[in-house]
Amino acid sequence: MSRSSSDDDVNIHKHDDLNTTPTRLYNPYETLNLQIPTQNLYKLPTSPEFLFAEESLRQRRSWGENLTFYTGISYLAGSIAGASTGLYSAFKAFEHGDTAKLKINRILNTSGLAGRMWGNRIGIVGLIYAGMESGVVAIRDEDDVWSSVAAGLATGAICRAARGVKSAALAGALGGIVAGSAVAGKQAVRRYVPI
């Protein structure tokens, strides 16, 4: 079923400045006799789509988004902190007779090495925390400060479990305190600081 080209369908496309040929714009849906205008086919919704209505009621990221977010943020923060410590140690290692090229090389090498090491280590902590938090929220079916405290406690304990029970308990307590204070601080900022 072909359509005859009308004056509306014919456009002139300039391929070169010297050659102009009248052509019709290609529409892959013209033979399907769709009742909706083809301009509306590719207008995507701006709000998130959910398979079930219950999913739209939850105001939190999914476990995959959580995993990506926490791992990425912690890797970035660790890399910046590691590069800063590498920069400091490179400045301390400067000697009196070093050329500018040697100084720049030393700065780049030590900053890059320390940034990678810190980024990887802290990125793993973020990965474990994201998994723990998603697991705690799935078990409790609540997303509050106590879920973050439990996830921080478990993350600290897991990260230091190889060093013994005492070290794992201390790291777990520290992880719970840090996670709880971070979430409480975030809620306080949302409440009292107009952004």
Side-chain angles (χ1 to χ4, degrees), residues 8 24 29 57 67 73-75 81 111 126 140 147 169-170 187 189:
D8 296 332
R24 186 168 51 88
Y29 304 108
L57 300 176
L67 193 73
I73 289 293
S74 57
Y75 180 82
S111 295
R140 291 186 63 225
S147 297
L170 184 63
Q187 289 176 352
V189 167

Side-chain angles (χ1 to χ4, degrees), residues 34-123:
L34 296 174
Q35 299 299 323
I36 56 173
T38 56
Q39 292 85 7
N40 294 339
L41 287 177
Y42 295 110
K43 289 190 178 181
L44 299 175
T46 57
S47 63
E49 294 181 7
F50 297 99
L51 188 58
F52 301 108
E54 297 86 30
E55 292 176 347
S56 66
L57 300 176
R58 294 188 178 158
Q59 296 293 322
R60 73 176 316 267
R61 292 186 290 267
S62 69
W63 69 270
E65 292 169 339
N66 232 5
L67 193 73
T68 306
F69 176 74
Y70 285 128
T71 305
I73 289 293
S74 57
Y75 180 82
L76 181 65
S79 295
I80 290 171
S84 300
T85 60
L87 183 67
Y88 176 73
S89 66
F91 279 131
K92 280 181 57 175
F94 282 168
E95 294 177 5
H96 180 64
D98 287 347
T99 63
K101 186 175 181 180
L102 186 61
K103 289 179 181 179
I104 291 172
N105 188 13
R106 183 171 288 153
I107 288 171
L108 291 176
N109 284 339
T110 56
S111 295
L113 179 67
R116 283 190 307 272
M117 285 187 346
W118 282 51
N120 288 335
R121 289 176 182 169
I122 297 176

Side-chain angles (χ1 to χ4, degrees), residues 108-173:
L108 291 176
N109 284 339
T110 56
S111 295
L113 179 67
R116 283 190 307 272
M117 285 187 346
W118 282 51
N120 288 335
R121 289 176 182 169
I122 297 176
I124 292 296
V125 172
L127 178 77
I128 294 170
Y129 176 79
M132 288 294 147
E133 187 186 38
S134 296
V136 168
V137 168
I139 289 170
R140 291 186 63 225
D141 202 26
E142 284 185 38
D143 186 18
D144 56 358
V145 176
W146 298 112
S147 297
S148 298
V149 169
L153 191 128
T155 300
I158 287 173
C159 287
R160 293 292 180 177
R163 294 191 181 196
V165 177
K166 185 177 180 180
S167 179
L170 184 63

